[in-house]
Amino acid sequence: MPPLQGIKITEFCEIAAGPFCAMLLADMGAEVVKTERPGGDAMRTWPPLSGGYSENFASVNRNKKSVALDLKTRAGLNAATAVIMDSDIVIENFRPGVMAKQESR
């Protein structure tokens, strides 16, 4: 049995460091839900592309589920809150203050 099986993680990360951290936890059995803005993580467009998919994005996002949420809308914030409340851990790598700004909406 993987060591982190049964642990639920919500990831609010883009590019490399945050997604890599969550990927390691997913590799150890955690259930990771990656939340992306509409249009997706900017890393999805980074070359090399194979069949329209970024190999770089794939390299740090394996073993995850993903959902697109617009955190600038009430509906998106409500959906994000529901995902967070069902999680054991939240990982984010936004600039300082961005998550707090979303909470105050």
Side-chain angles (χ1 to χ4, degrees), residues 9-14 33 35-36 69-72 74 76-77 79-81 83-85 87 89-105:
I9 298 172
T10 300
E11 174 195 331
F12 293 91
C13 301
E14 286 203 6
V33 177
T35 57
E36 300 182 59
L69 298 174
D70 187 349
L71 300 180
K72 295 180 180 178
R74 176 57 48 202
L77 286 173
T81 299
V83 173
I84 289 169
M85 296 306 291
S87 298
I89 299 167
V90 174
I91 299 172
E92 61 93 4
N93 72 342
F94 296 127
R95 293 180 320 277
V98 170
M99 288 296 277
K101 181 179 174 183
Q102 297 305 320
E103 290 174 6
S104 67
R105 290 181 172 217

Side-chain angles (χ1 to χ4, degrees), residues 41-58:
D41 184 333
M43 195 172 195
R44 286 183 177 272
T45 63
W46 287 16
L49 301 176
S50 294
Y53 295 97
S54 167
E55 293 178 19
N56 281 306
F57 178 84

